[in-house]
Amino acid sequence: MAETVSERQIGDVVLDLRNISLAFGGVNALSDISFDVREHEIRAIIGPNGAGKSSMLNVINGVYQPQQGEVVLRGQRFEKMSPGHAARAGIARTFQNIALFKGMSVLDNIMTGRNLKMKSNILQQAVWWGPAQREELAHREKVEEIIDFLEIQHIRKTPVGRLPYGLQKRVDLGRALAMEPSILLLDEPMAGMNIEEKQDMSRFILDVNDQLGTTIVLIEHDMGVVMDISDRIVVLDYGKKIGDDTPDEVRANPEVIAAYLGASH
Amino acid sequence: MIYRENGQFKTSYAADQQIFPIRQDRYAIAALLVFAFVGVPLLADEYMFRAILIPFLILGLAALGVNILVGYCGQITLGAGAFMAVGAYAAYNFLARVDGMPLLGALLLGGATAAVAGIVFGVPSLRVRGLYLAVATLAAQFFFDWAFLRIKWFTLDSSSGSVSVSNLEMFGWTINSPVEKYLFCLGLLAVFALLAKNLVRGAIGRQWMAIRDMDVAAEVIGIRPMYAKLSAFAVSSFIVGVAGALWGFVHLGSWEPAAFSVDRSFQLLFMVIIGGMGSIMGSFFGAAFIVVLPIFLNQALPWLGNLVGVSISTVGVSHSEFIIFGALIVFFLIVEPHGIARLWSTAKEKLRLWPFPH
Ligand SMILES: Nc1ncnc2c1ncn2[C@@H]1O[C@H](COP(=O)(O)OP(=O)(O)OP(=O)(O)O)[C@@H](O)[C@H]1O
Ligand SMILES: [Mg+2]
């Protein structure tokens, strides 16, 4: 895996987070956090439970509005990012607590990820024949490519609610990939998985990063995986940034070690 | 023939995306359509048309509209009756005020007016949900009840708010007898069912269901809640409005605002719950059930009573109707939120495996 990582061309900063502070009532989820993400890299965010990792992703794609700071995306400043803006700017994400559309099949969940690319109007869709059907078929082919890539052909018609957890995580990734994002935010994509499932998921993430050039921001608790696949790591603890470096440097950082030993892990 | 999809391999995504991908289902639906268009007109008598079939078709259409909003988009409405009224009175006004307005034009314009009303009264859904939204849509019900009773302009100054339509005619075809009315409603229902099915299996349908299932995730992939919700209100109210116009024009002939009271709103909601939320077919199951049940009870209960030597009065029958409805709604809400439609598809799944259960 290490070779694949080193062959990629890491580019300029695409996403710059400047002095982000976010509080819920009295709780400071994030205090004055700054870091950047470079094009094509795999950027990990780690930290003990409640450190503010998920909150950080929610700030990046506009689900939460920080009280202070700004998100700079390819040089464009957003004081108020919204989920719609983020989606249109090419940011996709998966969720820590899977947020699939439970009543829909795997295929429909992933097809929904293409909604921004589908242009036929409501009348054309009601008639179906013609533009709407052509569009539906074109996108179906794209979605089938994703289904093949994630190796979930056998469950494409299954309602997602009936799937085991590991497969739901894959479908969640599939829906995000269907957006053909330039930046992909992954919130604990391997939580609750066994070794084999983790290996599959790591492979998918590396392939996406390598073959599509997608920039990846990854939250993960499994240190082995994180050290293995990420280029740079941000460490959060109680809403503060306590480290921001390459895996090797982070591993050696005494503050990080203390935070991890202090929190019962 | 055994019900199987074995050996029916799909060679293209287009084939896979058909409404009825299984061949036996296609035959069944074709047979059903032939029966409905040819068989029923030969078999049914006038009472059947007036008391059962025409009300079933029109309320089935209205339930379909409600299902789009409630079953597919996950919003709630207690104002469906009001949107039927808007459709009916708007269509009436277009027909009466515009020279040479064709019947179909009036019905569709009635639907369009109801769609606009639906969008206006759907705006609260952008801020509130659940109980609060129910109350907001109930406000639509009371507002329109009041408007059609008190604002004389809508009813061409008739004193009681009662209006009537006669001489229905379309493309030179006079729609007079019960059979003709039945065929007219059936044709419209078939067309609307097809259009609605196309919407719910396409891009907009996925947006509605995404909002229903997980609205935060829907926003994160770029779905605009405002567009998704208001389009559901518009499409739903359009269909409900056309159904309202049919109810007035075809079924009643002459009507007053009470024909579209809050009772109607609840009845339509019950049809969707019992028939199956998020299923086009379910809307029709629900409508059939609610139209037929009272008639069935009227016949069956006194007969059953006689068997055991008790006489059951008409009042008793209508009370038992409420009890049975109530029990069924509680049953479906708790045990099977996808209603009769789900029971039906479970049965089909079993049949697919029959006679080998594994
Ligand atoms: N919507 C919210 N309302 C109130 N408090 C919140 C909310 N979201 C997060 N918090 C609080 O912010 C802090 C950071 O939470 P966050 O979910 O970002 O942590 P995390 O690093 O993702 O933790 P975990 O590893 O458990 O997922 C926690 O104290 C949490 O309780
Ligand atoms: Mg988290």
Side-chain angles (χ1 to χ4, degrees):
Chain A
M1 284 184 194
E3 287 105 35
T4 358
V5 174
S6 62
E7 276 168 23
R8 280 169 307 125
Q9 284 290 313
I10 298 211
D12 297 332
V13 171
V14 281
L15 179 64
D16 195 9
L17 299 149
R18 296 183 184 160
N19 310 99
I20 304 281
S21 294
L22 173 74
F24 296 102
V27 183
N28 288 322
L30 297 169
S31 325
D32 198 29
I33 307 276
S34 302
F35 68 95
D36 61 23
V37 179
R38 293 178 170 277
E39 192 153 26
H40 305 314
E41 79 173 333
I42 298 185
R43 185 73 150 121
I45 304 177
I46 64 170
N49 291 109
K53 306 180 296 295
S54 297
S55 302
M56 194 68 235
L57 288 199
N58 282 327
V59 167
I60 296 176
N61 80 334
V63 176
Y64 292 163
Q65 310 281 337
Q67 278 87 10
Q68 267 165 46
E70 57 192 25
V71 178
V72 183
L73 186 62
R74 289 191 196 83
Q76 198 189 347
R77 284 179 42 193
F78 287 90
E79 254 161 64
K80 275 210 156 119
M81 180 64 101
S82 76
H85 274 134
R88 283 170 182 75
I91 302 182
R93 75 172 288 182
T94 65
F95 295 84
Q96 181 170 356
N97 310 309
I98 306 167
L100 289 172
F101 307 126
K102 285 205 182 57
M104 299 160 72
S105 67
V106 168
L107 185 63
D108 278 341
N109 265 274
I110 302 179
M111 280 293 279
T112 313
R114 304 213 42 98
N115 76 89
L116 281 178
K117 301 185 185 302
M118 301 189 74
K119 304 289 178 218
S120 61
N121 65 39
I122 206 164
L123 285 179
Q124 290 169 325
Q125 289 180 45
V127 175
W128 186 261
W129 292 286
Q133 189 188 19
R134 274 197 298 281
E135 188 176 45
E136 189 83 4
L137 284 175
H139 289 280
R140 173 77 189 266
E141 275 178 33
K142 273 279 175 204
V143 165
E144 289 291 339
E145 282 173 24
I146 293 167
I147 288 178
D148 286 345
F149 170 69
L150 294 173
E151 297 158 13
I152 48 177
Q153 300 89 336
H154 57 296
I155 51 164
R156 60 158 83 67
K157 292 287 174 67
T158 313
V160 292
R162 284 197 214 160
L163 295 175
Y165 186 76
L167 284 178
Q168 292 200 16
K169 283 264 179 195
R170 263 192 222 190
V171 178
D172 197 5
L173 176 62
R175 183 179 62 188
L177 289 178
M179 294 170 70
E180 296 180 47
S182 57
I183 302 177
L184 179 57
L185 315 177
L186 302 174
D187 197 342
E188 305 198 16
M190 295 167 221
M193 288 187 170
N194 62 31
I195 302 262
E196 207 176 315
E197 290 173 321
K198 280 185 184 178
Q199 280 170 347
D200 284 340
M201 189 53 95
S202 307
R203 181 163 51 85
F204 296 142
I205 295 171
L206 285 170
D207 281 352
V208 167
N209 176 246
D210 191 47
Q211 292 167 17
L212 308 175
T214 311
T215 306
I216 288 172
V217 182
L218 167 77
I219 299 177
E220 185 47 57
H221 276 298
D222 185 320
M223 282 310 128
V225 172
V226 170
M227 296 296 164
D228 222 25
I229 72 174
S230 44
D231 297 300
R232 290 190 298 157
I233 302 176
V234 181
V235 191
L236 301 182
D237 187 24
Y238 289 112
K240 297 200 177 59
K241 187 169 98 170
I242 59 167
D244 182 354
D245 226 319
T246 61
D248 290 335
E249 298 291 330
V250 162
R251 217 194 308 252
N253 182 334
E255 223 182 321
V256 175
I257 296 170
Y260 268 86
L261 292 180
S264 49
H265 260 269
Chain B
M1 187 167 43
I2 297 180
Y3 186 69
R4 283 288 188 292
E5 55 182 323
N6 289 359
Q8 301 180 24
F9 294 109
K10 311 292 180 309
T11 48
S12 70
Y13 296 135
D16 192 41
Q17 280 170 335
Q18 294 175 86
I19 298 179
F20 299 105
I22 298 176
R23 198 185 300 137
Q24 282 88 338
D25 282 344
R26 282 201 294 281
Y27 294 151
I29 203 76
L32 185 69
L33 282 175
V34 170
F35 177 70
F37 276 100
V38 182
V40 172
L42 294 174
L43 296 173
D45 61 9
E46 188 161 336
Y47 169 81
M48 280 280 279
F49 283 120
R50 280 189 201 286
I52 301 179
L53 292 168
I54 294 173
F56 157 69
L57 291 174
I58 300 174
L59 294 178
L61 182 62
L64 169 65
V66 173
N67 211 337
I68 284 181
L69 186 65
V70 178
Y72 285 95
C73 197
Q75 308 301 301
I76 184 86
T77 175
L78 294 178
F83 297 118
M84 281 182 84
V86 173
Y89 281 101
Y92 171 76
N93 275 281
F94 279 113
L95 199 65
R97 289 171 192 275
V98 181
D99 260 348
M101 172 63 68
L103 173 62
L104 204 55
L107 293 178
L108 294 179
L109 283 169
T113 313
V116 173
I119 291 174
V120 171
F121 282 89
V123 167
S125 73
L126 306 177
R127 308 300 325 240
V128 299
R129 59 180 84 189
L131 185 61
Y132 296 97
L133 182 58
V135 172
T137 56
L138 199 55
Q141 182 71 49
F142 290 119
F143 172 75
F144 286 113
D145 278 357
W146 170 84
F148 294 125
L149 202 58
R150 297 281 169 235
I151 303 177
K152 294 297 173 203
W153 188 85
F154 289 132
T155 52
L156 299 187
D157 299 318
S158 95
S159 57
S160 60
S162 139
V163 297
S164 67
V165 175
S166 52
N167 301 329
L168 299 176
E169 193 198 297
M170 187 179 69
F171 308 129
W173 174 40
T174 29
I175 303 162
N176 233 337
S177 68
V179 186
E180 290 163 332
K181 289 178 173 176
Y182 164 83
L183 286 172
F184 180 63
C185 293
L186 180 64
L188 278 178
L189 180 68
V191 170
F192 274 104
L194 180 64
L195 297 178
K197 182 69 194 176
N198 287 340
L199 286 179
V200 299
R201 69 180 169 143
I204 188 74
R206 286 191 295 267
Q207 293 200 14
W208 292 338
M209 291 186 276
I211 289 286
R212 171 195 71 189
D213 286 349
M214 188 63 76
D215 54 356
V216 177
E219 258 187 278
V220 163
I221 59 174
I223 292 172
R224 285 168 300 174
M226 184 167 98
Y227 175 74
K229 287 180 185 175
L230 293 186
S231 64
F233 268 96
V235 171
S236 163
S237 310
F238 181 88
I239 297 175
V240 169
V242 171
L246 283 177
W247 192 254
F249 284 32
V250 178
H251 179 57
L252 298 176
S254 70
W255 72 93
E256 44 195 68
F260 304 103
S261 67
V262 69
D263 291 351
R264 183 70 66 204
S265 297
F266 277 106
Q267 191 190 38
L268 290 171
L269 200 57
F270 294 161
M271 286 179 183
V272 170
I273 293 170
I274 291 179
M277 287 192 262
S279 158
I280 303 273
M281 267 306 197
S283 322
F284 306 146
F285 286 142
F289 192 84
I290 288 193
V291 170
V292 171
L293 185 72
I295 295 167
F296 170 78
L297 290 180
N298 256 321
Q299 308 288 328
L301 279 186
W303 180 77
L304 277 176
N306 275 342
L307 276 190
V308 291
V310 196
S311 84
I312 296 175
S313 63
T314 2
V315 181
V317 170
S318 74
H319 283 177
S320 69
E321 211 177 286
F322 287 119
I323 296 170
I324 292 177
F325 275 141
L328 279 171
I329 284 157
V330 172
F331 168 80
F332 278 113
L333 279 179
I334 295 175
V335 181
E336 186 45 274
H338 297 284
I340 300 176
R342 175 56 61 83
L343 298 179
W344 169 248
S345 68
T346 316
K348 272 206 315 193
E349 238 169 76
K350 294 240 164 76
L351 187 59
R352 206 176 283 186
L353 299 174
W354 184 86
F356 312 107
H358 293 294

